[in-house]
Amino acid sequence: MLKKEELPECPVATTVQLIGNKWKLLILRNLRMRPWRFNELQKSLEGISQKVLTESLRSMEADGIIIRTVYAEVPPRVEYSLSKLGDTMRPILDAMEKWGNDYKATFH
């Protein structure tokens, strides 16, 4: 997790720093529906590499936005879900979805 002094002064810049890339936003979009396994996420995010998905998940976990849960099964099962903090991003994602739908509707 970033230290307070490492974060930009501007709150919008802070948000962009934490989730402001295409893949992180799409991962959050999926996780707002339910917990996902790594392979499910990778299949649902066309064009993402294993390396980028791994880095994005690790980064969001370190920032406290998602939770990685390992189940003691054979073979091991790992699921990713929104943390309590990540769950507070739902209104942002909902607003982005609404805006995107409204924008697309202006061209039909």
Side-chain angles (χ1 to χ4, degrees), residues 14 22 33 47 82 104:
T14 298
K22 168 185 173 180
M33 291 183 263
L82 291 178
K104 286 163 63 172

Side-chain angles (χ1 to χ4, degrees), residues 59-78:
S59 171
M60 290 191 297
E61 183 183 13
D63 291 333
I65 297 169
I66 66 169
I67 296 169
R68 180 179 185 265
T69 305
V70 180
Y71 295 92
E73 300 174 353
V74 177
R77 178 171 53 108
V78 177

Side-chain angles (χ1 to χ4, degrees), residues 92-106:
I92 297 166
L93 298 165
D94 292 343
M96 291 176 75
E97 180 179 36
K98 182 185 179 325
W99 189 91
N101 283 329
D102 291 348
Y103 180 82
K104 286 163 63 172
T106 63

